[in-house]
C-alpha cells in the first residue's frame, strides 16, 4: 500500500504530520510512504507548484494524502505558477472527478455548531462535488471589451457524460445512506445547469424509483442548509457550487478544521480505488507555523483513505471513533474555542484509538 504524502504549505505540514502519527499508531502492515513537494514550497524549490516528479509519485501510489497549498507571497504570480494550480492540476491529471465531502454534527456536540440545536442535530449529509469540470476548467482569459476596458472571462460548461458519471457516484452513495439525492444547480439562469438538470432527471429515470430525487437552486440550497438541514442526505452539485456549499457545511459542523474529503476517479488498484484525501480547508496562513491548527479534518481524511483506497473499514471507523471521543472529552482546537494545539490534538486522538 503506497501512499504519496504531499504536505504542501502553511498548516499543511502540521496537520499532515498528525495524520501520519495516527496512521503510524495503527501499525498497519505493508504501508510505504513517499513524500513530495507541492504548492508554494515546490515553486520555491523547483520553480513549479506541481513538479513532474511529484505528479509521477502521485501516479505511482495507491492513494495520495494531501495537506493544503497556498501562500500569500504567491498571490501575484502568473496563474499557472500559483500554488492552487497544483491541486487543480492533480485533480485533472489523475482524473479525480468525484469529491466526497461528508459533513455531520458529531453526536452530543451540537453545541459546537452555530445552528440552533434542533437544526444541528439533523445535520448529516454528504456533498458529492464534481471536481474536474465547470467554470474551474473552462477556457478563461482577459480581453479588452468594446468600451476599451479590461475584462476577465471564464467559460462554464458541463457535458452530459460529465454529469452522468457524477450522478452515478451520488446514486451509489445514497444507496448506502438515506436513499435521497438533492441535485443543486442554477437551472433558472444557466444553460450549464439546464443540461445538468435534464441529465440528472434522465439518469434518475433509468435507475428506477429506489432513490428519491429532488432539485434545488443553489441560492435556496445555501439557505436551506441553515434553516432545514435534515432534509438533505446526498447533495450532488457542480464544482463551483460544491466548493461554496462545503465551506458553508463546515461552519454548520463547528469548524472547517473538522471536514475531510475524498477525491476519487475510476482507477482501481490492487487494494481498492485510487483516491486523493485532503481536508477541505486551505493553508490558513493566518495561523501557520504556530502549532494552532486543528488536524482533525486531515486525520478524518486519512480514515477515508483507509476505507476507500485500502478497504480497511474497521481501521477507518476506529480513527473516526477516536476523533469523536476526543471531541466528546472536550479536546478543542482554537477553531472550536479551545486551547489544544495541533500536536496535543493528535496525541489525544492516538490515546483514544
Ligand atoms: P483557509 O481554509 O485556509 O482558512 C479560512 C479560515 O479558517 C482561516 O481563518 C483559518 O485560520 C481557518 N482554518 C482553516 N483550517 C483550519 C484548521 N485546520 N484549524 C483551525 N483553523 C483553520 O481559507 P483561505 O484563508 O481562504 O485560504 C488560504 C490559502 O489556502 C489560499 O491561498 C487559498 O487559495 C488556499 N486554499 C487551499 C485549499 C487546498 O489546498 N485544497 C483549500 C482552500 C484554500
Ligand atoms: C478546495 C479549495 C480549492 C478549490 C482551491 C484551493 C483551488 O478551495 O479544495 O475546496 O476551489 O477547489
Ligand atoms: Mn474550497
Amino acid at each position: 500500500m503506497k501512499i504519496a504524502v504531499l504536505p504542501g504549505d502553511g498548516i499543511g505540514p502540521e496537520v499532515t504530520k498528525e495524520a501520519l502519527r495516527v496512521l503510524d499508531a495503527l501499525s498497519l502492515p505493508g504501508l510505504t510512504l513517499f513524500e513530495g513537494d507541492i504548492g508554494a514550497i515546490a515553486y520555491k524549490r523547483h520553480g513549479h507548484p506541481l513538479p513532474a516528479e511529484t505528479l509521477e509519485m502521485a501516479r505511482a501510489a495507491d492513494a495520495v494524502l494531501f495537506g493544503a497549498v497556498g501562500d500569500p507571497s504567491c498571490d501575484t504570480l502568473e496563474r499557472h505558477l500559483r500554488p492552487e494550480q497544483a491541486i487543480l492540476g492533480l485533480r485533472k491529471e489523475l482524473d479525480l472527478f468525484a469529491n466526497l465531502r461528508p459533513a455531520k454534527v458529531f453526536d452530543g456536540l451540537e453545541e459546537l455548531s452555530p445552528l440552533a440545536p434542533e437544526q444541528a442535530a439533523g445535520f448529516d449529509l454528504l456533498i458529492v462535488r464534481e471536481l474536474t469540470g465547470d467554470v474551474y476548467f473552462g477556457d478563461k482569459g482577459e480581453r479588452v471589451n468594446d468600451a476599451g476596458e479590461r475584462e476577465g472571462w471564464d467559460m462554464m460548461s458541463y457535458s452530459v457524460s460529465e454529469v452522468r458519471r457524477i450522478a452515478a457516484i451520488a446514486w451509489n452513495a445514497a444507496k448506502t445512506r438515506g436513499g435521497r439525492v438533492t441535485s443543486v444547480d442554477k437551472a433558472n439562469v444557466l444553460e450549464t445547469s439546464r443540461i445538468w438538470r435534464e441529465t440528472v432527471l434522465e439518469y434518475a429515470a433509468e435507475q428506477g424509483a429506489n432513490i428519491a430525487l429532488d432539485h434545488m437552486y443553489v441560492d435556496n440550497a445555501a439557505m436551506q442548509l441553515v434553516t432545514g438541514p435534515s432534509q438533505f442526505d446526498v447533495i450532488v452539485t457542480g464544482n463551483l457550487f460544491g466548493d461554496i456549499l462545503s465551506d458553508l457545511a463546515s461552519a454548520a459542523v463547528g469548524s472547517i478544521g473538522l471536514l475531510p474529503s475524498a477525491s476519487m476517479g475510476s482507477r482501481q488498484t490492487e487494494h481498492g480505488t485510487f483516491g486523493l484525501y485532503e481536508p477541505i480547508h486551505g493553508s490558513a496562513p493566518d495561523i501557520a507555523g504556530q502549532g494552532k491548527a486543528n488536524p482533525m479534518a486531515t486525520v478524518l481524511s486519512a480514515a477515508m483513505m483507509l476505507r476507500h483506497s485500502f478497504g480497511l473499514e474497521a481501521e477507518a471507523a476506529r480513527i473516526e471513533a477516536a476523533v469523536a471521543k476526543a471531541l466528546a472529552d472536550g479536546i478543542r482546537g482554537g477553531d472550536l474555542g479551545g486551547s489544544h494545539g495541533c500536536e496535543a490534538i493528535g496525541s489525544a486522538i492516538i490515546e483514544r484509538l
Side-chain angles (χ1 to χ4, degrees):
M1 299 188 291
K2 288 180 284 189
I3 305 178
V5 181
L6 308 178
D9 307 318
I11 63 170
E14 305 166 35
V15 295
T16 308
K17 186 174 168 204
E18 297 313 311
L20 291 179
R21 285 213 300 137
V22 170
L23 285 178
D24 191 53
L26 287 175
S27 306
L28 300 168
L31 214 59
T32 320
L33 305 180
F34 302 85
E35 191 170 319
D37 288 334
I38 197 154
I41 183 90
Y43 172 71
K44 284 168 192 159
R45 288 184 182 157
H46 315 275
H48 198 280
L50 178 54
E53 54 267 40
T54 301
L55 181 57
E56 274 325 299
M57 182 187 292
R59 272 195 215 286
D62 300 308
V64 179
L65 185 65
F66 184 95
V69 289
D71 189 281
S73 73
C74 294
D75 284 352
T76 49
L77 288 176
E78 277 178 70
R79 177 161 310 283
H80 72 282
L81 295 175
R82 288 190 55 141
E84 292 83 351
Q85 291 302 311
I87 183 63
L88 296 174
L90 269 184
R91 291 169 181 169
K92 195 69 173 178
E93 289 291 332
L94 302 172
D95 201 20
L96 302 169
F97 64 86
N99 188 214
L100 312 180
R101 296 187 159 186
K104 179 180 177 352
V105 171
F106 285 91
D107 286 340
L109 294 171
E110 293 77 12
E111 98 259 11
L112 296 180
S113 172
L115 300 185
E118 62 278 16
Q119 307 293 7
F123 203 104
D124 179 3
L125 52 86
L126 173 71
I127 297 178
V128 176
R129 171 191 178 195
E130 200 289 329
L131 204 58
T132 52
D134 203 349
V135 69
Y136 271 66
F137 291 97
D139 283 345
K140 52 186 84 248
E142 181 183 320
R143 63 190 167 208
V144 176
N145 69 14
D146 293 344
E149 245 185 314
R150 288 173 64 210
E151 148 181 305
W153 59 276
D154 301 85
M155 163 85 166
M156 179 183 238
S157 71
Y158 265 122
S159 67
V160 167
S161 60
E162 285 176 310
V163 181
R164 284 185 67 90
R165 66 180 186 173
I166 196 70
I169 300 281
W171 253 250
N172 281 337
K175 281 177 201 156
T176 67
R177 294 182 46 104
R180 288 175 292 134
V181 172
T182 306
S183 172
V184 170
D185 63 33
K186 189 75 186 172
N188 49 350
V189 177
L190 301 173
E191 283 299 293
T192 313
S193 285
R194 185 175 59 78
I195 295 293
W196 177 283
R197 190 176 283 215
E198 287 173 12
T199 304
V200 171
L201 268 169
E202 207 172 87
Y203 183 83
E206 288 166 21
Q207 297 303 307
N210 53 339
I211 299 293
L213 168 68
D214 63 341
H215 304 269
M216 199 178 279
Y217 298 134
V218 63
D219 45 355
N220 184 26
M223 184 181 76
Q224 302 280 340
L225 275 166
V226 175
T227 57
S230 64
Q231 72 190 284
F232 298 106
D233 177 23
V234 174
I235 291 177
V236 64
T237 191
N239 206 343
L240 182 61
F241 299 154
D243 180 42
I244 299 168
L245 293 181
S246 53
D247 267 37
L248 193 159
S250 78
V253 166
S255 165
I256 197 161
L258 294 176
L259 281 208
S261 83
S263 303
M264 323 284 303
S266 41
R267 197 183 118 207
Q268 298 302 309
T269 71
E270 57 178 304
H271 308 289
T273 306
F274 177 80
L276 179 150
Y277 302 85
E278 58 167 328
I280 80 155
H281 63 71
S283 57
D286 53 334
I287 58 166
Q290 302 171 30
K292 285 185 189 166
N294 185 348
M296 286 174 165
T298 313
V299 171
L300 293 169
S301 300
M304 291 186 87
M305 174 177 77
L306 296 186
R307 172 174 295 124
H308 295 293
S309 284
F310 299 127
L312 298 170
E313 173 58 40
E315 289 78 359
R318 250 180 94 189
I319 294 178
E320 288 162 353
V323 170
K325 180 80 170 67
L327 284 166
D329 291 344
I331 306 295
R332 305 267 193 281
D335 54 329
L336 293 168
S339 58
H340 292 93
C342 191
E343 194 179 334
I345 296 174
S347 299
I349 296 167
I350 291 166
E351 278 162 31
R352 288 162 179 80
L353 270 179

